[in-house]
Amino acid sequence: MVSIVDKFQIKGLKLKNRIVMPPMCQYSSFAEDGQVTDWHIQHYLSRAIGGVGLIIIEMTDIEPDGRITNQDLGLWTDQQIEGIRKIVDACHQYGTKVGIQIAHAGRKALDAQVPVSASPIAYDNDSKTPRELTISEIEEMVEKFGQAARRAVAAGVDTIEIHGAHGYLIHQFQSHYTNHRQDIYGKNLSLFGSQVVARVKRELPDSMPLIMRISAIEYVKNGYGLTESLDFSADYLKAGVDIFHISSGGEGPIGSGGQPGVHAGYQVPFAQAFKEKFNVPVIAVGKLSDYQLANSVIGNQAADLVAIGRGMLRNPYWTLEMADQLKDSQFVPKQYERAFSRHLK
Ligand SMILES: Cc1cc2nc3c(=O)[nH]c(=O)nc-3n(C[C@H](O)[C@H](O)[C@H](O)COP(=O)(O)O)c2cc1C
């Protein structure tokens, strides 16, 4: 019987357990230069000491106007490699592997003067109307994803996650709600995402798996559902994805066509559907911070890895406490052993 504290391996990526810290923007590049600050290093390092198997560094943008805000992390110049390397090296000391989520916010770039997207459709009444990308600009965008991936590999990451979820640029192309183009990118909604996957893959060593984060369903009226996301994800798989990270929503104002579940584990059935259809490793995420619940996702083989977001913001030692409650304290650093039950008399 497989458990959340068991090791996991795909290609050359070896994890000491099945727990992932998912990407979570910190908006902490205070000089608006996309650079890593002390905050980022302490933030990720404390979760590494806290025993998590894989950290996926927050949404890191491939160009300045691809940022949600000007405080986002970036990988659009080689000068940004060193900061990411510092996070990676710090976490590696404690046996935690590190990935990075590379992204473009598209029409959700709040600080861009004129954001770009698949089509000129604003997110809501208060948002700027984006400019439709030309075909040559789309080709340049694919190349920018490739260059960001090259920099991430140079920084020493163990894996890369492409952000195809939460209503950002790749999602904007793959959804008929936000993509009204008449050209090849409108006829084939997964073309842009597939090109990004293939281009990023070229930068990865053969031993490095590629993760893609997908919104499995949309909540807007007439948005796409699970059948469609499984269909377009088949194209991403063919283009080179090794692991899917399954989330949902983000394409429009919440409540305009449904609501994300508020119950624990509400996205797990989507992760399970991806696992069953593609037979590749899948990360489940979303309200899984209850220890027994998180373990049950792995035990029931609904997913291969479990990501804990807000639970890990509240408690960097989530992994240590979870493992201790499951009567397994193998991840506790020796400096902290006296605080955990195996050692309490
Ligand atoms: C502060 C914060 C920042 C986030 N930033 C990102 C991000 O950069 N990229 C992303 O894909 N998801 C982001 N998310 C979503 C999380 O990765 C995760 O999917 C979500 O919080 C649900 O998991 P949870 O219930 O364990 O928190 C963010 C969530 C939070 C709370």
Side-chain angles (χ1 to χ4, degrees):
M1 176 57 81
V2 63
S3 151
I4 194 167
V5 294
D6 288 345
K7 293 184 173 55
F8 174 82
Q9 179 171 1
I10 174 171
K11 297 187 164 175
L13 178 69
K14 293 182 185 166
L15 305 181
K16 63 183 173 183
N17 56 46
R18 304 215 166 199
I19 304 142
V20 178
M21 179 183 182
M24 285 181 287
C25 284
Q26 297 298 294
Y27 308 111
S28 294
S29 297
F30 297 118
E32 300 194 0
D33 54 4
Q35 288 283 3
V36 167
T37 61
D38 268 1
W39 173 267
H40 296 105
I41 294 170
Q42 302 305 331
H43 167 70
Y44 291 111
L45 175 59
S46 49
R47 275 74 193 176
I49 290 177
V52 62
L54 173 66
I55 289 172
I56 304 176
I57 297 173
E58 67 206 70
M59 172 158 167
T60 300
D61 306 299
I62 62 160
E63 67 169 5
D65 277 352
R67 293 177 286 186
I68 304 173
T69 76
N70 287 349
Q71 282 69 49
D72 290 19
L73 281 184
L75 260 182
W76 61 79
T77 80
D78 285 3
Q79 280 72 51
Q80 290 157 330
I81 295 173
E82 191 50 36
I84 301 295
R85 184 182 291 131
K86 283 188 187 150
I87 299 176
V88 173
D89 290 350
C91 296
H92 278 172
Q93 291 179 86
Y94 299 98
T96 295
K97 298 295 166 65
V98 185
I100 189 165
Q101 185 184 57
I102 55 172
H104 191 295
R107 69 178 189 158
K108 289 175 82 175
L110 301 177
D111 290 339
Q113 273 199 335
V114 184
V116 295
S117 186
S119 300
I121 305 167
Y123 178 80
D124 62 16
N125 291 340
D126 299 326
S127 304
K128 294 171 193 158
T129 301
R131 186 174 63 72
E132 178 173 307
L133 286 163
T134 65
I135 293 224
S136 66
E137 285 172 331
I138 294 171
E139 288 162 0
E140 281 163 30
M141 203 63 92
V142 171
E143 180 56 24
K144 285 176 188 170
F145 270 98
Q147 292 303 320
R150 172 184 64 74
R151 295 181 187 112
V153 171
V157 301
D158 304 288
T159 179
I160 288 177
E161 175 171 290
I162 295 173
H163 202 345
H166 301 170
Y168 296 111
L169 188 63
I170 293 175
H171 184 157
Q172 288 159 33
F173 271 84
Q174 80 206 1
S175 169
H176 54 252
Y177 172 69
T178 39
N179 183 347
H180 294 182
R181 300 176 72 95
Q182 300 299 318
D183 60 11
I184 46 168
Y185 290 97
K187 292 199 173 67
N188 177 358
L189 300 186
S190 57
L191 180 60
F192 175 60
S194 299
Q195 289 176 334
V196 170
V197 170
R199 179 64 191 87
V200 166
K201 191 81 173 184
R202 271 175 40 207
E203 298 296 333
L204 269 51
D206 288 345
S207 59
M208 188 184 287
L210 177 62
I211 307 173
M212 188 161 195
R213 201 169 218 206
I214 295 290
S215 284
I217 63 165
E218 296 185 311
Y219 297 105
V220 289
K221 207 161 168 241
N222 301 323
Y224 68 68
L226 186 59
T227 310
E228 287 103 322
S229 68
L230 287 168
D231 274 356
F232 64 67
S233 296
D235 296 337
Y236 298 155
L237 186 73
K238 214 162 137 201
V241 170
D242 297 292
I243 304 175
F244 284 109
H245 189 174
I246 303 304
S247 188
S248 65
E251 69 291 338
I254 287 185
S256 58
Q259 287 276 354
V262 288
H263 53 282
Y266 69 101
Q267 294 176 145
V268 173
F270 307 140
Q272 185 159 9
F274 271 70
K275 186 169 167 55
E276 282 166 6
K277 170 153 183 186
F278 297 124
N279 198 23
V280 297
V282 165
I283 308 172
V285 67
K287 293 190 193 276
L288 289 170
S289 63
D290 177 86
Y291 304 143
Q292 295 294 348
L293 175 67
N295 189 35
S296 76
V297 172
I298 302 296
N300 289 331
Q301 298 180 34
D304 303 84
L305 298 162
V306 164
I308 309 295
R310 287 162 294 178
M312 228 175 259
L313 291 185
R314 286 191 295 276
N315 178 9
Y317 306 123
W318 187 94
T319 304
L320 305 182
E321 299 205 89
M322 178 279 300
D324 193 51
Q325 282 209 8
L326 299 185
K327 315 249 178 306
D328 184 326
S329 49
Q330 60 173 313
F331 311 114
V332 176
K334 73 176 181 339
Q335 296 91 331
Y336 292 175
E337 275 177 350
R338 290 176 61 188
F340 287 84
S341 59
R342 186 159 59 99
H343 303 272
L344 290 177
K345 294 281 179 271

